[in-house]
Amino acid sequence: FEPNTVATRQLIKERIIESVKRWEPRVALQEVAVEESPADPRLVAITIQYRLIATQSVERLNLSLQLEG
């Protein structure tokens, strides 16, 4: 597990952007945010906002990821 640092969160963000662009052609990313969770410093809160190409509908996905054991 990686420490919850600015560098780690930036790397997570970059990997999400790269992966969605490569593997999900049905969406256009609008925003990816990876932030330290205020409730638990071991967690990051991830928000992915995207637009569905076919319908132009804007959707949002929220995830939590535990970084440290």
Side-chain angles (χ1 to χ4, degrees), residues 14-32:
E14 290 169 4
R15 295 286 170 89
I16 290 170
I17 292 169
E18 290 171 9
S19 297
V20 171
K21 285 182 178 181
R22 180 174 183 178
W23 299 107
E24 190 47 84
R26 298 172 294 180
V27 303
L29 286 175
Q30 293 190 316
E31 180 182 3
V32 176

Side-chain angles (χ1 to χ4, degrees), residues 45-56:
I46 302 169
T47 302
I48 304 169
Q49 185 170 317
Y50 58 93
R51 181 176 40 82
L52 295 170
I53 301 296
T55 64
Q56 300 301 306

